[in-house]
Amino acid sequence: QVQLVESGGGSVQAGGSLRLSCAASGYTYSRDCMGWFRQAPGKEREAVATIESYGGTTTYADSVKGRFTISKDNAKKILYLQMNSLKPEDTAMYYCAYGPSRWIDHVWSCRGVAFSSWGQGTQVSVSS
């Protein structure tokens, strides 16, 4: 099994920055996707960003484009989410996830990936 442990959450004022980290162990797929998801109380979980292992292709939710950056340190097996210009609506529990890449249109993709491994989450609170 893949173990994922998030860290780096906290409370900041609007406009501030945070960097989330996800330490991973027990990788099982030759091609894989990792992603950040978030869930606010009373709302459904939503994808924030993903990154595919082969080409490093990234995806972002429209709400975070230009503000958040997902990256990986493959040697250390750590996933990062750099969050800048934070807004109150970014307040949520943030989760790291892992799953197998998919072969779509002749490329490895994170579209529709079944993220089967999840971390415990780290809280991000942004005040106005």
Side-chain angles (χ1 to χ4, degrees):
Q1 293 184 324
V2 176
Q3 292 85 46
L4 304 171
V5 181
E6 302 97 334
S7 63
S11 299
V12 299
Q13 290 188 314
S17 298
L18 285 172
R19 188 178 75 164
L20 306 184
S21 299
C22 173
S25 62
Y27 282 28
T28 58
Y29 305 115
S30 58
R31 298 286 191 274
D32 56 48
C33 289
M34 297 191 74
W36 288 99
F37 293 74
R38 66 187 182 186
Q39 186 170 28
K43 297 183 178 180
E44 294 187 346
R45 184 174 60 199
E46 63 174 337
V48 176
T50 65
I51 184 166
E52 202 279 320
S53 67
Y54 182 74
T57 301
T58 58
T59 66
Y60 296 93
D62 288 341
S63 60
V64 307
K65 287 181 179 177
R67 299 188 298 121
F68 291 11
T69 302
I70 188 171
S71 62
K72 288 176 62 180
D73 183 327
N74 291 315
K76 296 181 178 180
K77 297 183 179 180
I78 300 176
L79 178 72
Y80 299 102
L81 183 67
Q82 179 65 47
M83 304 185 294
N84 298 325
S85 302
L86 284 163
K87 303 175 180 179
E89 50 262 46
D90 294 319
T91 296
M93 184 71 75
Y94 283 70
Y95 299 91
C96 174
Y98 177 91
S101 299
R102 302 181 68 200
W103 187 248
I104 302 175
D105 294 332
H106 308 289
V107 297
W108 291 102
S109 173
C110 290
R111 293 174 57 193
V113 164
F115 290 98
S116 56
S117 298
W118 298 83
Q120 294 297 307
T122 184
Q123 179 68 42
V124 172
S125 299
V126 185
S127 60
S128 60

